[in-house]
Amino acid sequence: MSRRTAKIAGALAGVVTVATTATLVVIGSAPVASAATTTFTPVADTYVDNAATGTNYGTSGQLGVDNSSVKRTFLRFNVSGVTGTVTGAKLRIHTDNVAGAQSPNGGTYRLMSNTTWSETGVTWNNQPAIDGATLGSLGAVSQNTWYEINVLSQISGNGTFSIGVTSSSSDGADFDSRESGSTTAPQLVITTGTTTTTTPPTTTTTQPPSGDPVLVGAGDIATSGSADSATANLLDSIPGTVFTLGDNVYPDGTAAQFTQYYEPTWGRHKARTRPAPGNHDYHTSGASGYYNYFGANAGPSGRGYYSYDLGNWHIVSLNSEISMSAGSAQEQWLRTDLAASSKPCTLAYWHKPRFTSSSNHAPNPATGPLVQALYDYDAEVIATGHNHQYERFAPMNPSGALDNTNGIRHFVAGMGGAGFYGFGTILPNSQVRNSNTNGVLKFTLHANSYDWQFVPVAGQTFTDSGTTACH
């Protein structure tokens, strides 16, 4: 039986306030601290080889480090325009996608005093000295993979920095140079924590009452790019429970990809994360990389659906990668779980959207039985990912018709870090769309209502926010 019959008739039902121009939730026009990330690529990079002492490799798409023959790599970055206190600095380097690029030793990375060497002039015979402080080292490296070294101890502001790389292994590693293209070129990622944004004077949003829980997250997250770092930086300054909407790491959800891509970014919030799996997580058999990485936070082992409570809210994480049909184990569990809940408000999330206007992945009717169960038990919100964009719908019934009395508001929030998708045919009741801004979706869960807010990454301006009462 539906909980709808047990609720106070008309208690704020259908009351909707939308403020699509709000930025961060603040009091008045007070500044709010946030993190800003800037990514620099090398202005020069090359390597030298003692098997070819007079040869210059400055135009090569590859950077070698080895101990037989001896190869040494040189990188130079110009860091400029950084303001405020630097709170993070990491060197990111990508192994080449060729046989033999892997190595048991990814090299030792050191600063260099010489910052004027010539990319097209350096050879083994005239190479600059690798004579500065040690930044770090890499152990075993695999082919076609990103690796990171924390360099904050030595790089903490503007300047020109040369880095030399050596290896003690006779089985050397090969990395992509800046000539390989922007998607795999080395990166120096600088994060500052003192950038502020100010709410325009016309904004009327106010700070939520103390103690109201926050649920924040996105889907389609960790890749070999840097957008996942930018969205992870947002989480650094937003307290509460983190949710994920599937496709947590690309391209295949392997244990190694969780280690290399997810762990250095969203992984630092793992202890407070309640995830959902996506189709890319299941590229690894049984999504074993996903379940092993998140452990108990992903619910009962291997099942992929579970629930928990936050304040006055019942939260349900579901699995769109297994059967969702009426009568399936998941659908029956969902109905039993909802019937047992005593919370007046409900929010659910999973990966594949029932409603979406994307030109990439179409609406998924297979999720319909889950939507129907949630509607029958008066749920307020469904959040999904799969399409790499943001879209907000008006409250709807399971058929997609407008229903301001008992409808569920659907969000597609696949802007966690993966490359963007476009929009195609716009569905009825689609209210807000964006396909060029990474960010996170933040819910503030009040006793009988909720606020939503799209929080953009540093340097972006798109926002969306509003308030809706529980049924």
Side-chain angles (χ1 to χ4, degrees), residues 57-104:
Y57 297 96
T59 60
S60 172
Q62 191 176 81
L63 300 169
V65 289
D66 206 329
N67 200 41
S68 180
S69 60
V70 178
K71 296 178 183 178
R72 298 169 183 163
T73 280
F74 305 98
L75 308 163
R76 185 166 71 244
F77 295 89
N78 286 346
V79 177
S80 62
V82 173
T83 59
T85 302
V86 175
T87 56
K90 59 186 179 181
L91 175 67
R92 303 185 79 227
I93 192 162
H94 187 268
T95 46
D96 204 350
N97 189 22
V98 297
Q102 70 278 1
S103 170

Coordinates of all heavy atoms in Angstrom, one line a residue, residues 57-104:
Y57 N 65.9 14.4 -29.3 CA 64.6 13.8 -29.4 C 63.5 14.8 -29.1 O 62.4 14.4 -28.7 CB 64.5 12.6 -28.5 CG 65.5 11.5 -28.9 CD1 66.8 11.4 -28.3 CD2 65.2 10.5 -29.9 CE1 67.6 10.4 -28.6 CE2 66.1 9.5 -30.2 CZ 67.3 9.4 -29.6 OH 68.2 8.4 -29.9
G58 N 63.8 16.1 -29.3 CA 62.8 17.1 -28.9 C 61.5 17.0 -29.6 O 60.5 17.5 -29.1
T59 N 61.4 16.5 -30.8 CA 60.2 16.4 -31.5 C 59.5 15.1 -31.4 O 58.4 14.8 -32.0 CB 60.4 16.7 -33.0 OG1 61.3 15.8 -33.6 CG2 61.0 18.1 -33.2
S60 N 60.0 14.2 -30.6 CA 59.5 12.9 -30.5 C 58.2 12.9 -29.7 O 58.0 13.8 -28.8 CB 60.5 11.9 -29.7 OG 59.9 10.7 -29.4
G61 N 57.2 12.0 -30.0 CA 56.0 11.9 -29.2 C 56.2 11.1 -27.9 O 55.2 10.8 -27.2
Q62 N 57.4 10.7 -27.7 CA 57.7 9.7 -26.6 C 58.8 10.3 -25.7 O 59.7 11.0 -26.1 CB 58.1 8.4 -27.1 CG 58.1 7.2 -26.1 CD 58.4 5.9 -26.8 OE1 59.6 5.6 -27.1 NE2 57.4 5.1 -27.1
L63 N 58.7 10.0 -24.4 CA 59.8 10.3 -23.4 C 60.2 9.0 -22.8 O 59.4 8.3 -22.2 CB 59.2 11.3 -22.3 CG 58.7 12.6 -22.9 CD1 57.9 13.3 -21.7 CD2 59.8 13.5 -23.4
G64 N 61.5 8.7 -22.8 CA 62.0 7.5 -22.3 C 62.8 7.7 -21.0 O 63.5 8.6 -20.8
V65 N 62.7 6.7 -20.1 CA 63.6 6.6 -18.9 C 64.0 5.2 -18.8 O 63.2 4.2 -18.9 CB 62.9 7.1 -17.6 CG1 62.6 8.6 -17.6 CG2 61.5 6.3 -17.4
D66 N 65.3 4.9 -18.6 CA 65.9 3.6 -18.7 C 67.3 3.6 -18.1 O 67.9 4.7 -18.0 CB 65.9 3.1 -20.2 CG 65.8 1.6 -20.4 OD1 66.3 0.9 -19.5 OD2 65.3 1.2 -21.4
N67 N 67.8 2.4 -17.8 CA 69.1 2.3 -17.4 C 70.0 1.4 -18.3 O 71.2 1.2 -18.0 CB 69.2 1.7 -15.9 CG 70.5 2.0 -15.2 OD1 71.0 3.1 -15.4 ND2 71.0 1.1 -14.5
S68 N 69.4 1.0 -19.4 CA 70.2 0.2 -20.4 C 69.5 0.1 -21.7 O 68.5 -0.7 -21.9 CB 70.4 -1.2 -19.9 OG 71.2 -2.0 -20.8
S69 N 69.9 0.9 -22.7 CA 70.8 2.0 -22.6 C 70.2 3.1 -21.7 O 69.0 3.1 -21.5 CB 71.0 2.6 -24.0 OG 69.8 3.1 -24.6
V70 N 71.0 4.0 -21.2 CA 70.6 5.0 -20.2 C 69.8 6.1 -20.9 O 70.3 6.7 -21.8 CB 71.7 5.6 -19.4 CG1 71.3 6.7 -18.5 CG2 72.5 4.5 -18.7
K71 N 68.5 6.3 -20.5 CA 67.7 7.3 -21.1 C 67.2 8.2 -19.9 O 66.9 7.7 -18.8 CB 66.5 6.8 -21.8 CG 66.8 6.0 -23.0 CD 65.6 5.4 -23.7 CE 65.9 4.5 -24.9 NZ 64.7 3.9 -25.5
R72 N 67.3 9.5 -20.1 CA 66.8 10.5 -19.1 C 65.8 11.5 -19.7 O 66.0 11.9 -20.9 CB 68.0 11.3 -18.5 CG 69.0 10.4 -17.8 CD 70.3 11.1 -17.4 NE 71.2 10.2 -16.8 CZ 72.5 10.4 -16.7 NH1 73.0 11.6 -17.2 NH2 73.3 9.6 -16.1
T73 N 64.8 11.8 -19.0 CA 63.7 12.7 -19.5 C 63.8 14.0 -18.8 O 64.1 14.1 -17.7 CB 62.3 12.0 -19.3 OG1 62.1 11.1 -20.4 CG2 61.2 13.1 -19.4
F74 N 63.5 15.1 -19.6 CA 63.5 16.5 -19.1 C 62.2 17.1 -19.4 O 61.7 17.0 -20.5 CB 64.7 17.3 -19.7 CG 66.0 16.6 -19.5 CD1 66.6 15.9 -20.5 CD2 66.7 16.8 -18.3 CE1 67.8 15.3 -20.4 CE2 67.9 16.2 -18.1 CZ 68.5 15.4 -19.1
L75 N 61.6 17.8 -18.4 CA 60.3 18.5 -18.6 C 60.5 20.0 -18.1 O 61.2 20.2 -17.1 CB 59.2 17.9 -17.7 CG 58.9 16.4 -17.9 CD1 58.1 15.8 -16.7 CD2 58.2 16.1 -19.2
R76 N 59.9 20.9 -18.7 CA 59.9 22.3 -18.2 C 58.5 22.9 -18.3 O 57.8 22.8 -19.3 CB 60.9 23.2 -19.0 CG 61.0 24.6 -18.4 CD 62.2 25.4 -18.9 NE 62.0 25.8 -20.3 CZ 62.8 25.4 -21.3 NH1 63.7 24.5 -21.1 NH2 62.5 25.8 -22.5
F77 N 58.1 23.5 -17.1 CA 56.7 24.1 -17.0 C 56.9 25.5 -16.6 O 57.8 25.9 -15.8 CB 55.9 23.4 -15.9 CG 55.6 22.0 -16.2 CD1 56.4 20.9 -15.8 CD2 54.4 21.6 -16.8 CE1 56.1 19.6 -16.0 CE2 54.0 20.3 -17.1 CZ 54.9 19.3 -16.7
N78 N 56.1 26.4 -17.3 CA 56.0 27.8 -16.8 C 54.7 28.0 -16.1 O 53.6 27.9 -16.7 CB 56.0 28.7 -18.1 CG 57.4 28.9 -18.6 OD1 58.4 28.5 -18.0 ND2 57.5 29.4 -19.9
V79 N 54.7 28.2 -14.8 CA 53.5 28.4 -14.0 C 53.3 29.9 -13.8 O 54.2 30.6 -13.3 CB 53.7 27.7 -12.6 CG1 52.4 28.0 -11.8 CG2 53.9 26.2 -12.8
S80 N 52.2 30.4 -14.3 CA 51.9 31.8 -14.2 C 50.5 32.1 -14.0 O 49.6 31.2 -14.3 CB 52.4 32.6 -15.5 OG 51.7 32.1 -16.6
G81 N 50.1 33.2 -13.4 CA 48.7 33.6 -13.2 C 48.1 33.0 -12.0 O 46.9 33.1 -11.8
V82 N 48.9 32.3 -11.2 CA 48.3 31.6 -10.0 C 48.2 32.7 -8.9 O 49.2 33.3 -8.6 CB 49.1 30.4 -9.6 CG1 48.7 29.9 -8.3 CG2 49.1 29.3 -10.7
T83 N 47.1 32.8 -8.3 CA 46.9 33.8 -7.2 C 46.4 33.0 -6.0 O 45.8 32.0 -6.1 CB 45.9 34.9 -7.5 OG1 44.6 34.3 -7.9 CG2 46.4 35.7 -8.7
G84 N 46.7 33.5 -4.8 CA 46.3 32.9 -3.6 C 47.3 31.8 -3.2 O 48.3 31.5 -3.8
T85 N 46.9 31.1 -2.1 CA 47.8 30.1 -1.5 C 47.6 28.8 -2.3 O 46.5 28.3 -2.5 CB 47.4 29.8 0.0 OG1 47.6 31.1 0.7 CG2 48.3 28.8 0.6
V86 N 48.7 28.2 -2.7 CA 48.7 26.9 -3.4 C 48.5 25.8 -2.4 O 49.3 25.7 -1.4 CB 50.0 26.7 -4.2 CG1 50.0 25.3 -4.8 CG2 50.1 27.7 -5.3
T87 N 47.4 25.1 -2.5 CA 47.1 24.0 -1.6 C 47.3 22.6 -2.2 O 47.2 21.6 -1.5 CB 45.7 24.1 -1.1 OG1 44.8 24.1 -2.2 CG2 45.5 25.4 -0.3
G88 N 47.7 22.5 -3.4 CA 47.9 21.2 -4.1 C 48.7 21.4 -5.3 O 48.6 22.4 -6.1
A89 N 49.7 20.5 -5.6 CA 50.4 20.5 -6.8 C 50.8 19.1 -7.1 O 51.4 18.4 -6.3 CB 51.7 21.4 -6.7
K90 N 50.5 18.6 -8.3 CA 50.8 17.3 -8.7 C 51.3 17.2 -10.2 O 50.7 17.9 -11.0 CB 49.6 16.3 -8.5 CG 48.3 16.7 -9.3 CD 47.2 15.8 -8.9 CE 45.9 16.2 -9.6 NZ 44.7 15.4 -9.2
L91 N 52.3 16.4 -10.4 CA 52.8 16.1 -11.7 C 52.0 14.9 -12.2 O 52.0 13.9 -11.5 CB 54.3 15.9 -11.7 CG 54.9 15.5 -13.0 CD1 54.8 16.6 -14.0 CD2 56.3 15.0 -12.8
R92 N 51.4 15.0 -13.4 CA 50.7 13.8 -14.0 C 51.4 13.5 -15.3 O 51.7 14.3 -16.1 CB 49.3 14.2 -14.3 CG 48.5 14.6 -13.1 CD 47.0 14.8 -13.4 NE 46.3 13.5 -13.4 CZ 45.4 13.2 -14.4 NH1 45.2 13.9 -15.4 NH2 44.8 12.0 -14.3
I93 N 51.7 12.2 -15.5 CA 52.4 11.7 -16.6 C 51.8 10.4 -17.1 O 51.3 9.6 -16.3 CB 53.9 11.6 -16.3 CG1 54.7 11.4 -17.6 CG2 54.2 10.5 -15.3 CD1 56.2 11.6 -17.5
H94 N 51.7 10.3 -18.4 CA 50.9 9.2 -19.0 C 51.8 8.2 -19.8 O 52.6 8.7 -20.7 CB 49.9 9.7 -20.0 CG 48.9 8.7 -20.5 ND1 49.1 8.1 -21.7 CD2 47.7 8.3 -20.0 CE1 48.1 7.3 -21.9 NE2 47.2 7.4 -20.9
T95 N 51.8 6.9 -19.5 CA 52.6 6.0 -20.2 C 52.0 5.8 -21.7 O 50.8 5.9 -21.9 CB 52.6 4.6 -19.5 OG1 51.2 4.3 -19.1 CG2 53.5 4.7 -18.3
D96 N 52.9 5.6 -22.6 CA 52.6 5.4 -24.0 C 51.7 4.2 -24.2 O 51.8 3.2 -23.5 CB 53.9 5.3 -24.8 CG 53.6 5.8 -26.3 OD1 52.5 6.0 -26.7 OD2 54.6 5.9 -27.0
N97 N 50.9 4.2 -25.2 CA 50.0 3.1 -25.6 C 50.7 2.2 -26.6 O 50.2 2.0 -27.7 CB 48.7 3.6 -26.0 CG 47.7 2.4 -26.2 OD1 47.8 1.4 -25.6 ND2 46.7 2.7 -27.0
V98 N 51.9 1.7 -26.3 CA 52.7 0.8 -27.2 C 53.2 -0.3 -26.4 O 53.5 -0.2 -25.2 CB 53.8 1.6 -27.9 CG1 53.3 2.7 -28.8 CG2 54.8 2.2 -26.9
A99 N 53.5 -1.4 -27.0 CA 54.1 -2.5 -26.4 C 55.5 -2.1 -25.8 O 56.3 -1.5 -26.5 CB 54.2 -3.7 -27.3
G100 N 55.8 -2.5 -24.6 CA 57.0 -2.2 -24.0 C 57.1 -0.9 -23.2 O 58.1 -0.6 -22.6
A101 N 56.0 -0.1 -23.2 CA 56.0 1.1 -22.5 C 55.9 0.9 -21.0 O 56.4 1.7 -20.2 CB 54.7 2.0 -22.9
Q102 N 55.4 -0.3 -20.6 CA 55.3 -0.6 -19.1 C 56.7 -0.9 -18.6 O 57.7 -1.2 -19.3 CB 54.4 -1.8 -18.9 CG 55.0 -3.2 -19.4 CD 54.7 -3.4 -20.9 OE1 54.2 -2.5 -21.6 NE2 55.2 -4.5 -21.4
S103 N 56.9 -0.8 -17.3 CA 58.1 -1.0 -16.6 C 57.9 -1.3 -15.1 O 57.0 -0.8 -14.5 CB 59.0 0.2 -16.8 OG 60.2 0.1 -16.0
P104 N 58.8 -2.0 -14.5 CA 58.8 -2.2 -13.0 C 59.2 -0.9 -12.3 O 59.1 -0.9 -11.1 CB 59.7 -3.3 -12.8 CG 60.7 -3.3 -13.9 CD 59.9 -2.9 -15.1

